Amino acid sequence: MSTTKVFLILVTLTGAIISFALASDPEPLQDLCVALPNSGVRVNGFACKAESNVTESDFFFSGIGKPGVINNTVGSLVTTANVDKIPGLNTLGVSLARIDYEPGGINPPHTHPRATEVVFVLEGELDVASITTSNKLISKKIKKGEVFVFPIGLVHYQKNNGDTLASVIAAFNSQLPGALSVASALFSSKPAVPDDVLAKTFQIDATVVETIKTKFAPKTG
C-alpha cells in the first residue's frame, strides 16, 4: 500500500475518532469532579469541589421516585436529575429525567442540543415521534416496559392519548443535555423574534403571530 493511501486512511480514522469523541460530554480526567457551580470559574462544565469536602449527598437525588404535580396547559411535567440536582454527575456525561403526562398531555416538540435521549415507559401508553433533517417523521406507540430512542439534536415529542396517567424515565448521554422547546423559542424569546419574521416563516398574518405570543406570555396576578 502506498504512503499516500496510508496517510489518507489515518486521516479518515482520526477524523472519525474525533467526531465520535465530540458527540458526547468529554471524558473525566480524575475519579470525580463534584460540581461547584458558585465558584465563579467558567469552564465547559463546572469547577470541581475539593475532594475533602465531597459527601454522599453530592451523588444522591430522590426527586424522580414518584409522579410530580402537573399544573400547566400542556399536561406534562419534566423532573430533571442532571448535574444541577446531582453535583456528582459533573464530567460523567450522564443524567436522567422523569416525565409525567396526564390524559391528553403532551411534552411539546423540542430538541436536546447536547444529548441523545432514551425513554423507558413506567406506566401508560404514549405516541412518540422524532423528525429527521429530511423531514421524515419516525413515530410509534409505546407502552409500559418499552423503550424508544430520540437521536441527539432532532425535534421530538411525546403525547399521552390514553385515559390514564403515563410516566417515563429518560436517560441522556450528557450531564446537562439542555432542552429547546420549538414553540417557546419562537414565540416567547427575549428579545422577541420580530412578528414579520414569524409571519413570513409560517405564512400567516402578523395579528395571528401576536395572538400566539399571548399564549406564551408569563401569567400575571
Side-chain angles (χ1 to χ4, degrees):
M1 185 178 295
S2 69
T3 302
T4 301
K5 287 184 177 180
V6 171
F7 175 75
L8 289 175
I9 290 172
L10 288 174
V11 169
T12 301
L13 289 174
T14 301
I17 292 170
I18 292 173
S19 296
F20 179 79
L22 292 176
S24 60
D25 289 0
E27 291 294 325
L29 299 178
Q30 60 277 315
D31 289 343
L32 48 85
C33 175
V34 173
L36 194 63
N38 298 323
S39 70
V41 177
R42 294 298 178 189
V43 294
N44 190 22
F46 295 99
C48 305
K49 179 189 288 189
E51 190 167 341
S52 58
N53 295 329
V54 171
T55 69
E56 67 279 0
S57 64
D58 291 317
F59 300 90
F60 177 78
F61 180 64
S62 61
I64 60 174
K66 58 184 180 181
V69 178
I70 301 172
N71 184 25
N72 56 50
T73 57
V74 296
S76 69
L77 177 68
V78 179
T79 304
T80 58
N82 54 35
V83 71
D84 287 337
K85 306 286 182 61
I86 311 172
L89 287 176
N90 194 38
T91 76
L92 298 185
V94 294
S95 61
L96 294 174
R98 178 188 178 116
I99 313 172
D100 297 300
Y101 316 78
E102 61 187 19
I106 186 171
N107 188 12
H110 62 283
T111 70
H112 301 292
R114 296 183 290 275
T116 290
E117 177 181 4
V118 181
V119 296
F120 173 80
V121 183
L122 295 172
E123 297 291 343
E125 293 186 356
L126 294 167
D127 291 316
V128 302
S130 60
I131 306 167
T132 71
T133 54
S134 59
N135 292 331
K136 179 179 176 64
L137 181 73
I138 301 173
S139 62
K140 186 169 179 60
K141 182 183 291 292
I142 56 176
K143 60 183 184 296
K144 183 176 180 177
E146 295 181 338
V147 170
F148 197 81
V149 178
F150 303 105
I152 183 171
L154 295 190
V155 173
H156 60 282
Y157 65 85
Q158 308 102 31
K159 188 175 189 298
N160 179 7
N161 281 324
D163 54 8
T164 62
L165 293 172
S167 299
V168 304
I169 291 293
F172 303 91
N173 62 330
S174 173
Q175 67 181 38
L176 199 61
L180 180 69
S181 169
V182 175
S184 293
L186 292 173
F187 293 99
S188 66
S189 67
K190 301 295 181 183
V193 177
D195 288 359
D196 63 318
V197 172
L198 294 173
K200 187 74 170 180
T201 299
F202 290 101
Q203 299 294 291
I204 56 178
D205 192 85
T207 58
V208 177
V209 172
E210 279 300 314
T211 300
I212 296 174
K213 283 185 175 181
T214 63
K215 304 293 185 181
F216 292 90
K219 300 296 187 294
T220 60

